[in-house]
Amino acid sequence: MLDATQAGVPMTVHQLRWNTLVIPVLAGIAIVVAVWWAGPGALGPVDAPSGTVTEATVTTAAPCTDANPRETVQFSFGGQARTGSLDACGHGQNDRVQITVPTLAGTGPVDVHLADVVAGHGALRGPVGLVLLTLSCFAGAAYAFLMARGRRKTETAIVTV
């Protein structure tokens, strides 16, 4: 029985050394540390709350099937009873909600927002972004490893019984 070297097929053995992957690993670590060190603003803008949080009562509910649902709320602001237009849906009449009233509310109806919601952002934005960045660095290191390792030759074994 002939093996691959006896059959005239050259066998190449790839020795992968640790120093081959030092640069990709250090680059990945440097990227993750730099983003972590830069703080929460590195993965998106950090919006500071601009207004006063207060409790409001929904007076007119809006169904979530509307294209641009707006609910009407009543709240107390600056010692006065005020009416506001809340950009939300799905609440029932007389439900109590926490809202953010803009600092420069003016007179008349006020556009308000739910206090615990900032459109397009969430509290997990930074940690999830950092985890995804770390995973992409691992993927890049795995790709560098596969490129440095090269192709693997497969050998077929012939078993005779």
Side-chain angles (χ1 to χ4, degrees), residues 56-62 71-73 89-97:
T57 304
V58 177
T59 56
T60 306
E71 296 181 333
T72 305
V73 294
C89 65
H91 297 103
Q93 191 166 356
N94 296 324
D95 278 356
R96 312 275 297 162
V97 293

Side-chain angles (χ1 to χ4, degrees), residues 18-104:
W18 66 270
N19 58 0
T20 307
L21 298 177
V22 168
I23 292 174
V25 169
L26 289 179
I29 291 171
I31 289 170
V32 171
V33 167
V35 170
W36 174 77
W37 183 65
L43 298 173
V46 178
D47 296 321
S50 58
T52 305
V53 176
T54 187
E55 192 169 90
T57 304
V58 177
T59 56
T60 306
C64 292
T65 56
D66 292 349
N68 188 16
R70 305 286 293 180
E71 296 181 333
T72 305
V73 294
Q74 286 187 339
F75 58 96
S76 177
F77 185 69
Q80 300 176 13
R82 303 286 303 267
T83 301
S85 177
L86 177 64
D87 56 348
C89 65
H91 297 103
Q93 191 166 356
N94 296 324
D95 278 356
R96 312 275 297 162
V97 293
Q98 294 286 323
I99 61 169
T100 302
V101 182
T103 306
L104 303 172

Side-chain angles (χ1 to χ4, degrees), residues 140-159:
Y143 181 73
F145 171 77
L146 292 174
M147 290 293 107
R149 184 183 73 177
R151 289 183 162 252
R152 290 275 172 134
K153 301 249 186 232
T154 58
E155 294 183 32
T156 57
I158 300 173
V159 179

